Amino acid sequence: MSQKPFYITTPIYYVNDVPHIGHAYTTLACDMAARFARLEGRPVLFVTGTDEHGLKNAKTAQEKGRTPQEHVDLLSENFRHLCTISHISNDDFIRTTQPRHIKAAQAMWKALSDSGHIYLGKYEGWYSTRDEAYYAESEIADGKAISSGSPVEWVEEPSYFFKLSAFGDKLLSFYKANPDFIQPKSRYNEVIKFVESGLRDLSISRTTFNWGVPVPGDEAHIMYVWLDALTNYLTCVGYPDENATAYKTFWPEALHVVGKDILRFHAVYWPAFLMAAGLPLPQGIYAHGWWTKDGQKISKSLGNAIDPLQLYEIYGLDQVRYFLMREVTFGQDGDFSHTAMVSRMNGDLANDYGNLVHRVLSFLDKQLGGVLPALEPLTADDIALLNQAQIMLPHVVALMKQMGLSKVLEEIWSLVGAANRYIDAQKPWGLKVTDPARMGTILAVLVDVIRRIALLTQPIMPDASAQILDMLNVEEHDRLFAAYNTHLSSGTQLRKPICVFKKWEDPDAS
């Protein structure tokens, strides 16, 4: 399998709030992709973290009687805790207040300045503290940003500017030459339209507050939070040391996964900064959609925010991980409801996958003492199912390259369905007396298919998959995809089966 390095990033989450389902969704998607790449045997760097500068944090800290650093220390820990509880396999957790990041951000500024793309001027315009973003007159209505609904205020202050206007044609040429750089296609078209409408130079410093990275050579200014924040993707590979092992290994092999609301920063500003600094651009940007709850937009005013930690407590971690990745095509908006969650838990997990595992392993334990029979002789039906299982890996590898996360799970569940239909058709429970050898072959085929399914589900449901592989006595070194087309030896003693996916039962039901 390919040994090409894989570098995947979540956005660094702005800490002025508690983590919600959107944060968990992005992080879980990246976790699924990172775990999958590791199973392929690829070198992987998976990074998440927190964005901690900006006026919003400075104001909130003051309101709460804390220093800005005390404030962000407390809130950043919430996001680290979410990673731990969600069993996220990140390799690094970046904080923009770390010395390594301040060094990288200042080096980026110096690279932009040395290349002649920064000049000093005066900013006059609309600014949203909540979004940490500037807006044009055409993007404002009734004192609010149209896109986010956040209030804006008129700001006038000295500011350094980045010559973004000089990069319109360069960006359009790059997009045209790299049509898969921005995914999905609808977001690509959105960015093209924005850039074609004309780019204005970007204000990249502030002087009215001091909670940020000081501008090199002019400490009356601090860096605009987005220039600071975007540089984190380089900080994590050792920039500005371009000879660092991580930099040489993983840059520019980066896929940035972001919510669609911050696409412009990643698909327009970030490539322009990198071009101006003379640095290679990442492999791609993937913008996913938003979640609603029971058909309603999630907002503080409605009080319907979804706490992922609460979901794990109610439904189970692997169940929530599966639901979020399966329920909606990655890139589109999705809706969370209790009904949909229970439908996936009881249908896909308990009835389909869980029941397949439990009835095969329980029957094998009862009839053969859990000793695996030989995988022979094979009939045409056996071979057909084994072949379907064998070609599943290249199918899902191809889909993962496109971040087709829900499609990967659909493919795997097509194999689950095929295995369930096979066992119903073969009826091994009626063969113990009449044809015990045939019964053994059927069970061996099913165990082999279950093993492969469990290998494939590791990236999304690591705990449940590990339980299944444990029951099959699969060694740790045989849980990589390199072992996908091997077989367990006949005579292997399987462990006592346990129920991995329980059906949801309404606690209020009598």
Side-chain angles (χ1 to χ4, degrees), residues 25-26 28-30 32-33 286 324-326 328-330 399-400 402-410 460:
Y25 182 59
T26 317
L28 285 170
C30 292
M32 180 176 173
Y286 203 109
L324 292 178
M325 293 301 104
R326 176 71 193 271
V328 59
T329 300
F330 198 62
L399 288 168
M400 280 302 301
Q402 305 158 16
M403 286 297 281
L405 308 184
S406 62
K407 292 176 182 175
V408 164
L409 293 171
E410 284 174 28
I460 190 57

Side-chain angles (χ1 to χ4, degrees), residues 346-406:
N346 287 352
D348 298 6
L349 297 181
N351 288 348
D352 297 344
Y353 190 14
N355 189 42
L356 170 68
V357 172
H358 196 64
R359 65 174 171 165
V360 169
L361 299 190
S362 294
F363 186 72
L364 199 153
D365 183 65
K366 184 178 178 183
Q367 302 299 337
L368 300 173
V371 177
L372 186 67
L375 191 63
E376 58 185 18
L378 298 174
T379 66
D381 287 343
D382 303 339
I383 292 167
L385 182 61
L386 290 170
N387 283 347
Q388 186 176 345
Q390 186 168 336
I391 64 171
M392 186 57 61
L393 181 58
H395 274 200
V396 297
V397 166
L399 288 168
M400 280 302 301
K401 285 181 180 172
Q402 305 158 16
M403 286 297 281
L405 308 184
S406 62

Side-chain angles (χ1 to χ4, degrees), residues 66-309:
R66 303 171 184 151
T67 67
Q69 189 66 56
E70 288 170 341
H71 179 64
V72 298
D73 284 348
L74 283 169
L75 293 179
S76 179
E77 195 53 41
N78 292 332
F79 290 85
R80 198 184 288 270
H81 181 64
L82 176 65
C83 286
T84 302
I85 299 299
S86 305
H87 292 188
I88 302 301
S89 63
N90 55 298
D91 300 293
D92 197 353
F93 190 95
I94 177 75
R95 296 183 58 189
T96 54
T97 51
Q98 291 170 336
R100 61 171 175 160
H101 177 69
I102 292 167
K103 177 183 174 183
Q106 290 182 324
M108 171 60 83
W109 180 286
K110 193 166 185 308
L112 299 179
S113 180
D114 290 350
S115 65
H117 290 98
I118 292 178
Y119 63 91
L120 184 61
K122 181 183 179 185
Y123 177 76
E124 296 183 34
W126 296 105
Y127 184 76
S128 163
T129 300
R130 186 191 296 173
D131 299 340
E132 300 283 7
Y134 303 101
Y135 290 103
E137 197 73 44
S138 60
E139 297 174 300
I140 305 298
D142 301 322
K144 294 181 179 178
I146 296 169
S147 59
S148 66
S150 300
V152 295
E153 57 184 335
W154 186 261
V155 173
E156 295 184 20
E157 62 181 315
S159 176
Y160 284 97
F161 285 82
F162 172 71
K163 294 180 182 176
L164 185 63
S165 59
F167 288 87
D169 290 343
K170 292 175 186 174
L171 286 167
L172 290 171
S173 296
F174 177 79
Y175 301 146
K176 188 175 180 181
N178 299 275
D180 295 330
F181 179 69
I182 301 163
Q183 294 283 352
K185 194 68 177 177
S186 59
R187 302 295 164 212
Y188 173 87
N189 295 334
E190 181 185 309
V191 170
I192 296 286
K193 187 176 178 183
F194 174 75
V195 177
E196 285 179 340
S197 70
L199 298 176
R200 297 177 304 146
D201 288 351
L202 183 67
S203 170
I204 55 167
S205 75
R206 304 294 302 273
T207 56
T208 51
F209 65 101
N210 62 5
W211 180 239
V213 178
V215 167
D218 190 348
E219 297 204 354
H221 291 251
I222 58 161
M223 290 168 56
Y224 172 46
V225 68
W226 272 103
L227 174 55
D228 155 13
L230 288 163
T231 306
N232 96 86
Y233 304 126
L234 288 175
T235 303
C236 294
V237 291
Y239 181 82
D241 179 5
E242 293 179 35
N243 290 315
T245 301
Y247 185 93
K248 291 195 290 186
T249 304
F250 293 108
W251 194 263
E253 303 294 336
L255 173 65
H256 302 316
V257 179
V258 301
K260 63 182 180 179
D261 53 322
I262 54 173
L263 177 61
R264 182 186 304 179
F265 300 100
H266 285 81
V268 180
Y269 300 171
W270 180 228
F273 293 156
L274 291 167
M275 287 176 176
L279 295 168
L281 274 60
Q283 292 298 301
I285 317 288
Y286 203 109
H288 64 71
W290 289 338
W291 282 86
T292 53
K293 184 180 182 184
D294 299 316
Q296 281 191 308
K297 185 178 179 182
I298 295 171
S299 71
K300 279 187 178 178
S301 57
L302 290 172
N304 64 345
I306 301 174
D307 177 358
L309 302 182

Side-chain angles (χ1 to χ4, degrees), residues 305-325:
I306 301 174
D307 177 358
L309 302 182
Q310 196 173 40
L311 292 186
Y312 303 156
E313 284 183 23
I314 295 170
Y315 302 111
L317 173 59
D318 275 354
Q319 287 83 346
V320 174
R321 285 177 62 114
Y322 175 80
F323 175 85
L324 292 178
M325 293 301 104

